[in-house]
Amino acid sequence: MSSESSKKRKPKVIRSDGAPAEGKRNRSDTEQAIEIEERRIQSCVHFMTLKKLNRLAHIRLKKGRDQTHEAKQKVDAYHLQLQNLLYEVMHLQKEITKCLEFKSKHEEIDLVSLEEFYKEAPPDISKAEVTMGDPHQQTLARLDWELEQRKRLAEKYRECLSNKEKILKEIEVKKEYLSSLQPRLNSIMQASLPVQEYLFMPFDQAHKQYETARHLPPPLYVLFVQATAYGQACDKTLSVAIEGSVDEAKALFKPPEDSQDDESDSDAEEEQTTKRRRPTLGVQLDDKRKEMLKRHPLSVMLDLKCKDDSVLHLTFFYLMNLNIMTVKAKVTTATELITPISAGDLLSPDSVLSCLYPGDHGKKTPNPANQYQFDKVGILTLSDYVLELGHPYLWVQKLGGLHFPKEQPQQTVIADHSLSASHMETTMKLLKTRVQSRLALHKQFASLEHGIVPVTSDCQYLFPAKVVSRLVKWVTVAHEDYMELHFTKDIVDAGLAGDTNLYYMALIERGTAKLQAAVVLNPGYSSIPPIFQLCLNWKGEKTNSNDDNIRAMESEVNVCYKELCGPWPSHQLLTNQLQRLCVLLDVYLETESHDDSVEGPKEFPQEKMCLRLFRGPSRMKPFKYNHPQGFFSHR
Amino acid sequence: MEQASSSLSLQAEVFQALQRLHMTIFSQSVSPCGKFLAAGNNYGQIAIFSLSAALSSEAKEESKKPVVTFQAHDGPVYSMVSTDRHLLSAGDGEVKAWLWAEMLKKGCKELWCRQPPYRTSLEVPEINALLLVPKENSLILAGGDCQLHTMDLETGTFTRVLRGHTDYIHCLALRERSPEVLSGGEDGAVRLWDLRTAKEVQTIEVYKHEECSRPHNGRWIGCLATDSDWMVCGGGPALTLWHLRSSTPTTVFPMRAPQKHVTFYQDLILSAGQGRCVNQWQLSGELKAQVPGSSPGLLSLSLNQQPAAPECKVLTAAGNSCRVDVFTNLGYRAFSLSF
């Protein structure tokens, strides 16, 4: 190839040589031709050597390359092998680690401890001799045992489940049975209502009452609970009931959103009304007052039955804004009472409970905080409203557990059960005595108005058999009129004639003598005696200021009243006092010393047996009657 | 609970108020030291008032209340008199003696209690008047049984009984010079008794004299006072000044209301009875002054003339009320002590 290339080249050269050779022709042509031939042969030899060298170089190169190539191939093969092996190693390692990490599920099982296992497992499983030495066998044995146990437990579990199913079914059956019982019981209860009433055991009623009681405001609730408890425990004649509308009571406690709606409604309404005529200030104030004095819709009614079948009906109300309780009273009797004229005030709802406890007149609100509320709406005093609202007596507040201490003003007064309980018994007893004494007085007044002083047979011993002076008049007198009488100044000055008392005038006559007796009846009759002041019109006007004997007569009925009380509960006191006055007038008139200067016989011959007519520096007449001897003596 | 007791206490309050309204103070007596006044009322209680405290310049309301009050008798205390150490009080038939020094302490008991021998046992007669006879150291009692009894204060025995009245005796007075006792009674007679002979010496039947008799009031002699030759008596008949020796009425005092107590004081005659006032009379029969008191009728006057307490020289009047009026100056009522 190199020779070919050199040949190719040569022709070129020759050609080019051929041309210039012409220039130097003859002598030197032959020497130059010979030198050119020599140089040509030399250059051809050189070219040949070059080619040879080139060839050799190429062959060496190729050889070298081949060798390298082979070696390289070998190396590559080794390399590849190495890689494979490494790869396999890695793979195997991974496998190994995987295997090593392999947690067989059996390791997750908490097997029983070895000691236990050997203790509990039966020998054919535990195979102690084999397993002791061989941990693998041991584990297998343990797993075996575990399996055994689990199978057994699984069995038990299934049994229990089935039991449970059975029992559940039984329960279902029984539940159905019971639920079918409920309507039957209800029907029995309905049917038993008439029987309950017949036997006086109103359980149903009581239950309903307790339901309603939940809506009562706290003081009424306290009253209700305490009164029911007292009635059940101590006093069968007391019955408690709740009256009023439960729905209204529930309506009082609506949630706030509703009230906001109401407000927005009322705002709308208000806007409307302002577009019309504005309501007058007076009407607004009136509404505010009505709002302030609003009563809770529910009220508690207590009925106290007395021995003679008369009943005192007490209705207790709660004024929500003022936080006080009031009471309205009514007395009904078994037979209708014909009210004598003078007995008008005795049983009137306004005054029958006045001063049940001394000083408790029920005209003022017991809650001192109310005064500020009243000032805001222009109410002067609660007494203007007591007729419709009821009286806020102090004992009513106590029964509702409300205590308004005067010394320490409290922020809010809450109803207290213990306060109510401590006052319940005394108050009930006082109420009963009050009603009974008023009814007794009522009857007595009817008789007194007809001029008969009704003296019961067990009090007859206090008086002689023959009493000539007679009661001719018995009327009520107004408080102001009593204060105006000239012979009552002492009582008025002593502060015994307040406006809570009842005043009467009795007129006793014998012949020309007229004895006027002004009577102060304290609401606390009969523990507080009636007080008499006398004025005798006979041969001049004699009162306690100018006649010691009139004073003595007053003393006989006022100071010595304890003898006249009669059997407890001393309802006979007033009538005994009046009878005694008649007897005293008899004695006075009959023992009056005869005036020798005046002609004629004594108007009243002495019929009473007296030991002595006069005694002591005041020359007292013998006013004391001695039973059973029947003579009169001095104290 | 407290309200039950408050109704009981209201009962007690009302009863107390009624008692006070119907109280009558029958008798008074000044202590020997002159600083205290004892008053006896119709309930048998005796109250001791401290005159010196009530008259002092820092007197408060409590000074006008009794220092001590105790139940002395079962019946009214009609008459009291003081010796130099004792207070003698008499009421329903018995005389009790109390030591003045002891009485101011609470819970004091009587020294002794004596009852004169009565004829009847049906009713115990009251003792309306007590009179001390210092010369004989004896006490004369008179009252419901129409007799005068003399009791020796040393021995306590009843020495004499003077009979003569036909009706019970209201009052006694002592005529110092010749020891004679005057007694006035319901029978309308004033009798003079000689203590030595124990006999009635003189009898004046007041009602038989026209100048002074007032039949519409009765004939009883309610009060007596004597100034040796003169005697003033009153009651049913008009208040009259008598000359004892001649038994003639010299002056009739124009007082319509019956008088229950009369006494000579300096040159005046003080009397009190039905009606509010303490009347001051000149011996000539003129009314010098009428000083109203606080009670509607007066039953006793007491002049504190004890020399030991000149600052307590007052006239006290008591009667148909629970108050004792104190007159520091005879012209007006200064204040009233009250039970």
Side-chain angles (χ1 to χ4, degrees):
Chain A
M1 186 174 6
S2 38
S3 52
E4 288 154 21
S5 58
S6 50
K7 284 174 186 172
K8 276 178 198 162
R9 277 187 224 134
K10 268 185 194 176
K12 280 184 201 169
V13 177
I14 298 165
R15 279 186 209 124
S16 52
D17 281 334
E22 313 201 286
K24 307 186 190 164
R25 299 186 174 247
N26 314 326
R27 149 150 189 242
S28 71
D29 283 340
T30 31
E31 258 157 45
Q32 267 178 9
I34 306 170
E35 230 177 305
I36 291 172
E37 267 303 310
E38 271 176 41
R39 275 221 192 186
R40 228 183 22 211
I41 299 172
Q42 259 178 5
S43 75
C44 282
V45 167
H46 282 316
F47 273 124
M48 299 272 294
T49 7
L50 262 175
K51 271 198 187 163
K52 188 181 144 184
L53 286 172
N54 188 26
R55 222 187 7 256
L56 279 178
H58 276 133
I59 288 171
R60 274 195 201 139
L61 185 64
K62 192 174 165 201
K63 237 201 238 174
R65 271 205 180 144
D66 283 345
Q67 274 181 345
T68 320
H69 191 72
E70 270 180 41
K72 189 171 163 216
Q73 274 194 332
K74 266 195 204 157
V75 164
D76 274 344
Y78 287 142
H79 199 71
L80 215 56
Q81 265 187 351
L82 177 64
Q83 289 273 19
N84 280 342
L85 285 172
L86 278 178
Y87 187 68
E88 222 178 303
V89 162
M90 206 167 68
H91 181 78
L92 284 173
Q93 269 188 338
K94 272 198 190 150
E95 291 285 305
I96 288 167
T97 41
K98 246 209 262 180
C99 282
L100 282 177
E101 282 174 2
F102 175 67
K103 294 213 179 294
S104 155
K105 279 198 180 150
H106 87 276
E107 286 173 18
E108 287 166 13
I109 306 172
D110 283 323
L111 297 172
V112 295
S113 63
L114 271 175
E115 304 83 23
E116 271 189 57
F117 165 67
Y118 279 119
K119 253 193 285 173
E120 287 174 15
D124 56 343
I125 297 187
S126 68
K127 288 188 275 217
E129 51 306 328
V130 179
T131 54
M132 279 295 202
D134 190 359
H136 173 69
Q137 290 295 327
Q138 196 180 56
T139 323
L140 280 176
R142 283 170 82 182
L143 287 170
D144 237 347
W145 171 233
E146 191 72 24
L147 181 64
E148 273 287 328
Q149 279 192 314
R150 282 191 183 206
K151 278 195 192 148
R152 267 188 242 159
L153 289 174
E155 265 306 310
K156 265 202 220 159
Y157 175 67
R158 252 173 287 165
E159 273 173 58
C160 289
L161 265 181
S162 63
N163 266 345
K164 180 175 146 194
E165 288 297 307
K166 251 194 280 174
I167 292 172
L168 273 175
K169 285 210 185 77
E170 276 176 37
I171 288 174
E172 276 302 315
V173 166
K174 285 193 182 155
K175 264 197 190 158
E176 271 182 44
Y177 174 67
L178 282 176
S179 58
S180 77
L181 196 56
Q182 170 75 351
R184 280 176 226 256
L185 284 178
N186 276 341
S187 61
I188 291 179
M189 276 186 62
Q190 286 296 327
S192 76
L193 270 176
V195 181
Q196 273 182 31
E197 278 179 26
Y198 189 74
L199 289 176
F200 303 112
M201 292 195 297
F203 289 121
D204 243 18
Q205 252 185 344
H207 189 65
K208 274 202 210 106
Q209 276 212 342
Y210 281 122
E211 278 299 310
T212 354
R214 283 189 5 224
H215 299 284
L216 286 172
L220 283 183
Y221 183 73
V222 169
L223 172 67
F224 175 75
V225 166
Q226 293 300 325
T228 329
Y230 178 74
Q232 282 174 357
C234 311
D235 190 359
K236 299 285 175 244
T237 57
L238 173 67
S239 68
V240 188
I242 303 180
E243 287 181 355
S245 152
V246 180
D247 297 326
E248 278 185 43
K250 284 190 201 161
L252 285 174
F253 290 101
K254 269 208 189 125
E257 315 95 59
D258 287 6
S259 68
Q260 277 179 13
D261 287 342
D262 285 344
E263 273 186 42
S264 60
D265 285 341
S266 64
D267 282 340
E269 270 183 36
E270 268 195 48
E271 284 176 23
Q272 271 196 330
T273 50
T274 50
K275 285 183 190 155
R276 306 181 212 142
R277 259 187 71 215
R278 214 167 229 281
T280 59
L281 206 62
V283 173
Q284 269 184 349
L285 208 57
D286 219 23
D287 289 339
K288 276 195 205 154
R289 276 191 211 140
K290 282 212 188 90
E291 184 60 35
M292 173 135 300
L293 298 172
K294 208 163 91 154
R295 299 204 285 227
H296 193 274
L298 292 175
S299 60
V300 176
M301 192 151 116
L302 253 70
D303 287 337
L304 273 170
K305 226 199 255 194
C306 305
K307 277 189 211 140
D308 56 352
D309 284 345
S310 52
V311 186
L312 172 68
H313 303 278
L314 293 170
T315 318
F316 293 88
F317 299 99
Y318 177 62
L319 301 180
M320 299 182 288
N321 293 318
L322 301 178
N323 195 24
I324 55 173
M325 281 172 57
T326 61
V327 67
K328 275 199 189 168
K330 201 170 90 151
V331 180
T332 57
T333 46
T335 54
E336 195 173 309
L337 283 181
I338 308 166
T339 310
I341 307 167
S342 57
D345 281 339
L346 278 184
L347 292 173
S348 82
D350 194 28
S351 62
V352 65
L353 294 179
S354 168
C355 293
L356 192 69
Y357 287 94
D360 191 4
H361 48 72
K363 295 202 185 112
K364 218 173 72 138
T365 165
N367 186 355
N370 293 154
Q371 197 51 47
Y372 305 106
Q373 292 168 296
F374 286 169
D375 288 340
K376 268 195 261 175
V377 293
I379 298 177
L380 279 175
T381 158
L382 199 58
S383 59
D384 302 331
Y385 300 92
V386 284
L387 275 176
E388 33 164 306
L389 291 178
H391 291 265
Y393 296 113
L394 288 171
W395 56 268
V396 173
Q397 317 306 322
K398 296 253 159 70
L399 283 186
L402 296 169
H403 179 49
F404 302 105
K406 290 194 186 106
E407 304 86 19
Q408 315 124 20
Q410 278 182 325
Q411 292 288 48
T412 41
V413 180
I414 12 173
D416 180 13
H417 279 270
S418 54
L419 185 64
S420 171
S422 54
H423 285 87
M424 181 66 68
E425 190 169 352
T426 4
T427 313
M428 291 297 143
K429 290 208 172 111
L430 280 175
L431 283 168
K432 272 210 187 141
T433 17
R434 171 61 65 94
V435 171
Q436 282 173 329
S437 76
R438 288 288 165 99
L439 284 171
L441 278 178
H442 206 265
K443 254 197 278 183
Q444 289 166 355
F445 281 17
S447 177
L448 289 176
E449 283 190 353
H450 288 105
I452 305 168
V453 181
V455 180
T456 59
S457 50
D458 43 6
C459 298
Q460 274 299 344
Y461 70 94
L462 291 166
F463 313 106
K466 186 170 170 200
V467 179
V468 187
S469 304
R470 277 180 49 248
L471 175 71
V472 293
K473 203 163 74 155
W474 174 262
V475 286
T476 24
V477 161
H479 178 223
E480 300 78 29
D481 294 338
Y482 179 86
M483 310 268 272
E484 298 288 310
L485 290 171
H486 59 281
F487 53 94
T488 55
K489 291 255 163 6
D490 290 336
I491 298 292
V492 174
D493 290 340
L496 292 168
D499 56 357
T500 49
N501 298 329
L502 301 166
Y503 299 93
Y504 301 93
M505 184 74 87
L507 186 60
I508 301 176
E509 274 185 12
R510 180 178 172 178
T512 54
K514 292 182 180 17
L515 179 68
Q516 274 183 307
V519 188
V520 180
L521 191 69
N522 192 294
Y525 177 84
S526 54
S527 56
I528 314 277
I531 304 175
F532 289 77
Q533 289 285 90
L534 305 173
C535 174
L536 176 65
N537 272 299
W538 182 59
K539 295 189 184 170
E541 192 182 79
K542 300 184 213 276
T543 63
N544 59 15
S545 50
N546 58 13
D547 189 336
D548 289 341
N549 283 304
I550 299 288
R551 204 154 173 265
M553 281 163 71
E554 287 177 355
S555 178
E556 282 285 315
V557 281
N558 290 340
V559 178
C560 308
Y561 73 93
K562 291 213 172 102
E563 318 166 338
L564 297 171
C565 275
W568 193 85
S570 23
H571 290 153
Q572 304 303 319
L573 181 55
L574 181 67
T575 45
N576 285 347
Q577 283 177 315
L578 284 169
Q579 184 75 340
R580 180 171 267 190
L581 275 182
C582 295
V583 173
L584 291 176
L585 182 63
D586 275 349
V587 172
Y588 184 97
L589 296 171
E590 289 173 14
T591 55
E592 188 70 7
S593 52
H594 190 58
D595 190 354
D596 295 322
S597 66
V598 176
E599 298 273 337
K602 270 173 84 169
E603 187 180 350
F604 304 105
Q606 183 176 341
E607 288 165 0
K608 304 276 183 289
M609 197 162 53
C610 313
L611 290 178
R612 272 174 67 178
L613 286 182
F614 300 103
R615 192 178 195 259
S618 316
R619 302 176 72 239
M620 291 285 113
K621 292 173 189 276
F623 287 125
K624 179 174 160 194
Y625 176 68
N626 294 296
H627 179 82
Q629 302 90 346
F631 65 91
F632 284 85
S633 61
H634 293 83
R635 277 200 189 265
Chain B
M1 280 299 269
E2 78 278 8
Q3 288 194 327
S5 57
S6 80
S7 54
L8 275 178
S9 71
L10 177 69
Q11 202 182 22
E13 255 180 60
V14 169
F15 183 63
Q16 238 185 6
L18 287 172
Q19 265 193 324
R20 285 164 57 96
L21 274 176
H22 292 96
M23 190 185 294
T24 308
I25 300 179
F26 283 110
S27 52
Q28 306 170 58
S29 181
V30 177
S31 67
C33 63
K35 299 214 173 90
F36 295 96
L37 178 72
N41 71 8
N42 59 332
Y43 299 120
Q45 298 165 328
I46 293 181
I48 313 286
F49 297 91
S50 167
L51 281 174
S52 49
L55 288 166
S56 75
S57 45
E58 314 90 32
K60 300 175 289 276
E61 276 312 300
E62 299 91 64
S63 331
K64 303 202 178 118
K65 293 260 156 202
V67 172
V68 68
T69 314
F70 56 93
Q71 189 77 27
H73 291 263
D74 290 330
V77 182
Y78 287 127
S79 163
M80 288 200 295
V81 81
S82 282
T83 63
D84 51 0
R85 280 179 46 227
H86 300 110
L87 173 71
L88 304 169
S89 66
D92 262 350
E94 52 190 16
V95 187
K96 291 191 185 180
W98 316 79
L99 255 182
W100 267 109
E102 292 288 315
M103 274 198 295
L104 293 170
K105 303 175 201 161
K106 298 228 186 296
C108 88
K109 290 203 148 300
E110 71 263 19
L111 270 187
W112 47 258
C113 170
R114 303 241 193 279
Q115 205 179 52
Y118 292 121
R119 282 179 297 192
T120 58
S121 56
L122 192 57
E123 199 192 9
V124 177
E126 77 280 17
I127 296 175
N128 283 326
L130 291 173
L131 189 67
L132 275 175
V133 185
K135 278 196 195 144
E136 292 184 354
N137 195 22
S138 65
L139 179 71
I140 303 186
L141 315 97
D145 67 341
C146 318
Q147 296 164 54
L148 285 90
H149 298 267
T150 331
M151 184 183 98
D152 187 75
L153 280 173
E154 285 254 359
T155 58
T157 52
F158 288 92
T159 45
R160 289 184 285 256
V161 174
L162 302 168
R163 298 198 182 95
H165 275 284
T166 52
D167 209 339
Y168 76 96
I169 299 167
H170 274 279
C171 45
L172 295 170
L174 181 67
R175 202 176 174 195
E176 295 252 341
R177 225 187 293 155
S178 42
E180 278 176 10
V181 174
L182 290 88
S183 63
E186 184 73 16
D187 55 1
V190 175
R191 295 175 205 270
L192 283 88
W193 313 81
D194 188 326
L195 284 172
R196 278 171 303 185
T197 59
K199 283 215 166 39
E200 189 176 328
V201 173
Q202 195 181 353
T203 310
I204 302 174
E205 286 180 316
V206 180
Y207 65 96
K208 291 202 172 141
H209 295 252
E210 267 188 54
E211 310 95 321
C212 40
S213 84
R214 295 188 299 195
H216 57 273
N217 277 346
R219 52 166 88 158
W220 50 280
I221 305 294
C223 52
L224 266 182
T226 178
D227 195 13
S228 288
D229 292 329
W230 302 91
M231 173 196 78
V232 63
C233 69
L239 190 66
T240 327
L241 182 65
W242 295 77
H243 185 240
L244 277 173
R245 227 168 348 105
S246 54
S247 302
T248 46
T250 46
T251 330
V252 176
F253 297 96
M255 186 77 214
R256 284 191 60 209
Q259 301 296 292
K260 300 271 174 70
H261 193 111
V262 69
T263 179
F264 284 96
Y265 175 62
Q266 291 172 353
D267 56 345
L268 295 170
I269 292 177
L270 303 172
S271 77
Q274 205 174 61
R276 289 185 174 269
C277 310
V278 176
N279 311 298
Q280 297 170 30
W281 307 94
Q282 307 269 19
L283 288 171
S284 56
E286 277 168 34
L287 181 64
K288 182 178 172 201
Q290 262 188 325
V291 187
S294 67
S295 315
L298 291 169
L299 285 171
S300 81
L301 294 172
S302 166
L303 273 165
N304 183 358
Q305 287 172 318
Q306 297 287 6
E311 75 277 5
C312 295
K313 186 171 176 196
V314 291
L315 169 73
T316 49
N320 284 344
S321 73
C322 57
R323 290 176 293 272
V324 178
D325 298 328
V326 178
F327 300 82
T328 45
N329 157 333
L330 288 183
Y332 65 95
R333 175 181 76 93
F335 57 89
S336 295
L337 304 164
S338 150
F339 253 78

